[in-house]
């Protein structure tokens, strides 16, 4: 069968919705075979008075994120749209963003999923490239290891980062099949980097805080189209 895509590509799927629908969405995420999923608590920017006036309810929000093979991204978006009635009042939004880098274990996980679902065979995994000037490096680690992530990143040329507290909502059976023991509480470290430093920073983080370490870290990167304040 013809190989239409020599180098597989992957996306970050993001859902922003209210807590009630987030519970339903969490079950949808957990039923999938995707190995990595996270949930963050957040809040909307509108005042409670405006929300009450519009009948939109609480401004509390939840953010759900998962890494997916590109060909499954649209299917997951469609499933969320139908089951959560996205587009209706007080429902939420979902979107995908291209990933420009993955650490090796996560790449193997997602490539296996892609091979099982693709109508073609992936013969070779190449480098995932981006022509943007900046990249956002995202590292998820067990609680207490964000400092180690930043130490490794700074040694590789990063200037700073932002830490978000979250918890993992992935399928325990899927994680166990890969020999992973996932701590529920997680820290997400966001690092804005020059594209040419991205690979070195990701490699440094993976070496010190990778999935085989106590930190149980996963690292991905996202392209940044424009940035101000650097």
């Amino acid at each position: 069968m013809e190989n239409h895509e020599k180098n597989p590509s992957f996306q970050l799927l993001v859902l922003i919705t209210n807590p009630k629908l987030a519970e339903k969405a969490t079950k949808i995420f957990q039923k999938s075979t995707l190995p990595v999923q996270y949930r963050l608590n957040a809040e909307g920017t509108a005042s409670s008075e405006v929300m009450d006036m519009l009948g939109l309810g609480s401004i509390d929000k939840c953010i759900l994120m998962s890494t997916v093979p590109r060909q499954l991204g649209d299917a997951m978006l469609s499933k969320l749209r139908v089951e959560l009635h996205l587009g209706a009042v007080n429902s939420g939004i979902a979107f995908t963003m291209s990933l420009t880098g993955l650490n090796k274990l996560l790449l193997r996980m997602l490539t296996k999923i892609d091979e099982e679902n693709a109508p073609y065979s992936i013969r070779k995994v190449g480098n995932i490239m981006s022509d943007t000037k900046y990249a956002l490096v995202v590292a998820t680690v067990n609680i207490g290891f964000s400092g180690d992530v930043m130490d490794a990143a700074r040694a590789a040329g990063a200037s700073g980062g932002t830490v978000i507290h979250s918890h993992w909502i992935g399928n325990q059976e899927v994680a166990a099949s890969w020999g992973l023991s996932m701590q529920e509480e997680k820290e997400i470290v966001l690092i804005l980097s020059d594209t040419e430093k991205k690979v070195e920073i990701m490699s440094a983080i993976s070496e010190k805080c990778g999935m085989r370490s106590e930190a149980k870290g996963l690292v991905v990167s996202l392209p940044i189209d424009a940035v101000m304040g650097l």
Side-chain angles (χ1 to χ4, degrees):
M1 190 171 292
E2 184 180 359
N3 181 10
H4 295 292
E5 188 175 347
K6 181 181 291 186
N7 299 332
S9 56
F10 306 98
Q11 295 175 310
L12 181 68
L13 170 64
V14 181
L15 169 69
I16 303 174
T17 188
N18 60 63
K20 183 178 180 180
L21 287 181
E23 293 300 326
K24 186 174 182 179
T26 295
K27 295 178 181 178
I28 296 173
F29 273 56
Q30 289 176 334
K31 287 180 181 178
S32 73
T33 58
L34 301 172
V36 182
Q37 297 139 31
Y38 296 96
R39 175 171 171 171
L40 300 81
N41 293 324
E43 62 180 41
T45 57
S47 68
S48 59
E49 291 82 2
V50 172
M51 298 292 284
D52 291 341
M53 180 179 66
L54 296 176
L56 299 182
S58 172
I59 62 173
D60 291 339
K61 298 292 181 183
C62 291
I63 303 172
L64 274 64
M65 300 188 300
S66 179
T67 47
V68 299
R70 180 177 294 276
Q71 69 168 42
L72 297 183
D74 287 345
M76 286 294 294
L77 286 176
S78 295
K79 188 176 185 64
L80 292 171
R81 178 181 60 81
V82 171
E83 298 200 20
L84 303 183
H85 303 289
L86 298 182
V89 174
N90 198 28
S91 57
I93 61 171
F95 57 92
T96 54
M97 296 183 291
S98 296
L99 296 173
T100 58
L102 299 161
N103 65 331
K104 291 181 180 178
L105 180 58
L106 182 55
L107 181 60
R108 287 201 299 271
M109 289 179 179
L110 294 176
T111 299
K112 184 176 186 296
I113 293 170
D114 203 30
E115 288 174 335
E116 291 174 347
N117 289 277
Y120 52 82
S121 297
I122 297 171
R123 299 191 180 95
K124 178 181 178 182
V125 177
N127 292 327
I128 305 170
M129 302 299 292
S130 171
D131 58 2
T132 58
K133 186 177 181 180
Y134 298 102
L136 180 67
V137 176
V138 182
T140 60
V141 292
N142 285 340
I143 291 291
F145 288 93
S146 57
D148 293 340
V149 169
M150 286 310 308
D151 287 344
R154 287 193 180 97
S159 58
T162 300
V163 179
I164 302 172
H165 294 278
S166 67
H167 68 272
W168 182 71
I169 59 171
N171 189 313
Q172 290 286 356
E173 293 182 0
V174 174
S177 70
W178 285 91
L180 308 179
S181 177
M182 301 294 283
Q183 175 182 310
E184 183 174 297
E185 297 301 315
K186 293 287 183 179
E187 291 174 332
I188 299 178
V189 184
L190 307 178
I191 301 169
L192 190 62
S193 163
D194 292 338
T195 298
E196 60 264 25
K197 296 180 181 178
K198 176 191 70 177
V199 173
E200 186 175 351
I201 291 172
M202 293 178 69
S203 297
I205 295 172
S206 293
E207 183 175 349
K208 186 171 184 178
C209 303
M211 186 57 76
R212 302 305 182 188
S213 72
E214 191 177 351
K216 302 295 181 186
L218 292 171
V219 190
V220 302
S221 64
L222 300 163
I224 300 295
D225 293 328
V227 63
M228 297 183 70
L230 292 181

